[in-house]
Amino acid sequence: MLSHFRNLFYVFLLRDMTKSPERLGTDMTQGSILPQIVRFALPLLTGNIFQQLYNTMDCLIVGRFLGRDALAAVGSTGQLVFGVIGFFNGLATGAQVIISQSFGAKDRAALKAAVHTSVLASLFISVFLSFFGIFISNFMLRLIRVPAAVFELASSYLRIFFSGMVFLILYDIGSGILRALGDSKRPLYFLIFSSVINIVLDLVFVLVLKMGIRGAAFATVISEMLSVVPVFWVLCTVDGDYKIRLRDLRVSSPIFAKILKIGLPGAVSSALIALSNTFMQKYVNVFGEACIAGFAVFSRFDNFIIMPMVSISFAITTFVSQNFGANEFARIRKGVKLSFVLNLCLIGAISFLAFLFARCFTMLFISDAESVRYGSLFIRFATPFYVLCATTMLYCQALHGLGESLAPTAIILGGFVVLRQTYLFMSTHLSGRFAFVALAYPIVWVFTALVMVLYYRRALERYTRR
């Protein structure tokens, strides 16, 4: 049996690690556009499925075997975790854009500096975010009025999760470097490996060792720690300007300044959106533990339905970045249009099915009738609007590929933070009905999609005329 696992590990991981360095990156500045985007997006989508699979398994195991309060505790921590991770991912987007543009422009010196700067800066940032997350956990849980019945469970889960933040961030930046070079295949293999480990450890820690919600948190941290190893094995053993060498690890001030210029607005935006969503959790908490549990299930559903959006949007970021570096604006315009149509077809079909089977999906996680009712309602209020969410995400990432960050950040903040919180405040004071809270997510997608598309068109015309 062990020999079979060793052979599988070689086939799916080591075989691709040892390919020639020329095949590590993919040049997206020439050739058929749609096949390139699809080939790049499919491994990302598969990887997202596996990532959400083990996130969902956390929820499913907790909800089924530890009960409604434990599920509500995990659900109430979601936006706080997203805020801290989202802040880093915003910075990582800046690094990915710089690496992709350098790769597309064939600038070897800039590529080398960007890779090494990204890794070392990420290490420092991960330590800071780990301590910061632990420090603010209890304060934020009190601020959003987490019920006393689930407070200690939520606090324990967060402390363990944030203690392993360094592993999550190092994995994310390593995979981001590979994707920036046009390689979305290897990160998929590493994520599958991590997902399987996480699910196995969830079952062992929660069902066998009876560690409760702490077991689910430890399973996540350990799987993240193990996923770092293969990513950096690849980056440290390949030949090329993107190879990581310890002696070259230093922060280049000009490169880091460019990363911050592109990534910091997105990082701040992600943090503020998470803060806005955290206060959304406060409005949900008013309806009690059943609604919190239902919202936790909806959050897992939301993570699933945005996977195609995220995959195509990440693909378009790399595609636009490389073609921007090569001054191929006609390809950029065509690639974004094709991606929009692809997004429209996929998200429309998924949303229709999700609307029909919302109750069945919710019942996978929890059997409590009131929680199932709330979870189903959240899903059915949101699904008709997900096409607009996909549009916002796609054009936002296309703008990031152009090196634009301030304007898309302002648009996202205007919709996801200012408009949403204004709406929630006014609607709940005028009427305390659940429907108004459930519409808080989808109602802002109308605004952000329209403004983001209009700004993208103007920005692309401006760059084309240069």
Side-chain angles (χ1 to χ4, degrees):
M1 181 64 70
L2 288 176
S3 64
H4 289 308
F5 279 112
R6 185 179 65 247
N7 292 336
L8 286 172
F9 182 80
Y10 174 79
V11 169
F12 289 109
L13 294 178
L14 296 182
R15 181 186 62 186
D16 277 338
M17 288 181 190
T18 55
K19 284 182 179 178
S20 62
E22 290 79 15
R23 297 185 64 182
L24 183 57
T26 299
D27 188 350
M28 303 179 79
T29 61
Q30 51 189 334
S32 298
I33 294 175
L34 187 58
Q36 285 183 341
I37 293 172
V38 171
R39 279 197 299 267
F40 189 90
L42 277 177
L44 289 177
L45 176 59
T46 308
N48 284 331
I49 290 172
F50 272 91
Q51 185 165 15
Q52 292 309 320
L53 178 62
Y54 80 71
N55 288 339
T56 301
M57 284 298 295
D58 279 347
C59 236
L60 195 149
I61 292 171
V62 167
R64 283 289 178 181
F65 297 101
L66 299 181
R68 187 180 72 180
D69 286 352
L71 179 59
V74 174
S76 65
T77 66
Q79 292 306 323
L80 182 56
V81 169
F82 172 78
V84 177
I85 296 175
F87 178 82
F88 172 78
N89 284 341
L91 295 177
T93 297
Q96 183 174 338
V97 168
I98 297 300
I99 292 169
S100 288
Q101 290 181 353
S102 301
F103 185 76
K106 309 298 190 292
D107 189 338
R108 299 176 61 188
L111 178 58
K112 178 180 177 180
V115 168
H116 287 84
T117 296
S118 300
V119 171
L120 187 58
S122 297
L123 181 60
F124 292 136
I125 292 170
S126 67
V127 174
F128 168 77
L129 290 180
S130 182
F131 283 105
F132 178 74
I134 294 172
F135 178 74
I136 68 167
S137 294
N138 284 356
F139 169 75
M140 292 301 298
L141 292 175
R142 293 190 185 96
L143 188 64
I144 62 174
R145 301 175 186 174
V146 171
V150 302
F151 186 93
E152 285 303 319
L153 293 172
S155 177
S156 176
Y157 184 88
L158 282 176
R159 284 195 302 268
I160 297 169
F161 180 88
F162 283 124
S163 69
M165 181 64 66
V166 62
F167 305 116
L168 175 62
I169 285 180
L170 286 178
Y171 167 78
D172 282 348
I173 193 62
S175 295
I177 291 171
L178 293 173
R179 286 192 293 266
L181 298 170
D183 181 4
S184 58
K185 196 174 181 181
R186 267 172 277 257
L188 166 62
Y189 296 155
F190 307 146
L191 190 54
I192 292 174
F193 170 70
S194 174
S195 300
V196 172
I197 294 296
N198 184 269
I199 292 171
V200 171
L201 291 179
D202 264 338
L203 295 170
V204 171
F205 290 164
V206 174
L207 300 184
V208 179
L209 300 181
K210 308 296 183 183
M211 294 176 64
I213 198 170
R214 290 167 55 87
F218 276 121
T220 300
V221 170
I222 294 172
S223 66
E224 289 166 356
M225 178 178 64
L226 295 176
S227 69
V228 172
V229 176
V231 175
F232 279 86
W233 174 271
V234 169
L235 290 172
C236 291
T237 56
V238 297
D239 292 323
D241 301 305
Y242 32 74
K243 179 178 180 178
I244 295 177
R245 298 175 175 85
L246 291 178
R247 66 177 182 273
D248 293 327
L249 281 175
R250 61 181 60 88
V251 175
S252 166
S253 298
I255 293 292
F256 190 61
K258 290 181 181 179
I259 291 174
L260 289 179
K261 181 181 178 181
I262 297 173
L264 190 57
V268 173
S269 174
S270 294
L272 290 177
I273 290 170
L275 183 63
S276 173
N277 290 342
T278 299
F279 284 104
M280 167 75 174
Q281 183 76 52
K282 181 181 76 171
Y283 290 102
V284 171
N285 291 350
V286 171
F287 295 93
E289 285 86 348
C291 188
I292 298 173
F295 188 67
V297 175
F298 165 73
S299 297
R300 289 297 179 268
F301 163 80
D302 182 72
N303 289 338
F304 268 111
I305 201 170
I306 68 171
M307 288 188 302
M309 310 180 206
V310 171
S311 304
I312 296 171
S313 298
F314 274 31
I316 210 63
T317 302
T318 299
F319 177 85
V320 171
S321 297
Q322 289 193 16
N323 283 280
F324 181 81
N327 292 314
E328 293 284 351
F329 292 103
R331 284 179 62 83
I332 290 174
R333 185 175 287 105
K334 186 175 181 181
V336 172
K337 286 182 179 178
L338 289 170
S339 298
F340 171 76
V341 174
L342 185 61
N343 241 340
L344 194 65
C345 295
L346 283 173
I347 302 306
I350 295 171
S351 296
F352 176 74
L353 292 173
F355 186 89
L356 291 179
F357 298 104
R359 185 174 178 83
C360 296
F361 180 89
T362 308
M363 291 178 67
L364 289 174
F365 293 86
I366 195 161
S367 56
D368 176 67
E370 191 68 2
S371 299
V372 170
R373 185 179 74 86
Y374 276 118
S376 303
L377 286 173
F378 273 119
I379 292 172
R380 285 180 173 148
F381 274 112
T383 44
F385 298 88
Y386 268 112
V387 167
L388 297 174
C389 180
T391 302
T392 300
M393 189 177 298
L394 176 70
Y395 283 89
C396 180
Q397 290 303 116
L399 285 165
H400 285 161
L402 293 173
E404 292 272 346
S405 56
L406 288 176
T409 298
I411 295 168
I412 293 293
L413 289 179
F416 284 47
V417 178
V418 178
L419 180 59
R420 179 177 291 160
Q421 290 305 311
T422 302
Y423 165 81
L424 280 168
F425 179 82
M426 293 180 63
S427 63
T428 53
H429 279 75
L430 293 173
S431 171
R433 294 176 61 188
F434 167 80
F436 287 103
V437 175
L439 282 170
Y441 273 22
I443 202 166
V444 302
W445 296 336
V446 180
F447 166 80
T448 53
L450 177 63
V451 178
M452 195 73 75
V453 171
L454 291 175
Y455 184 82
Y456 162 80
R457 290 179 176 177
R458 290 188 177 184
L460 189 58
E461 287 298 325
R462 185 173 69 249
Y463 284 112
T464 304
R465 289 195 301 265
R466 285 184 178 180

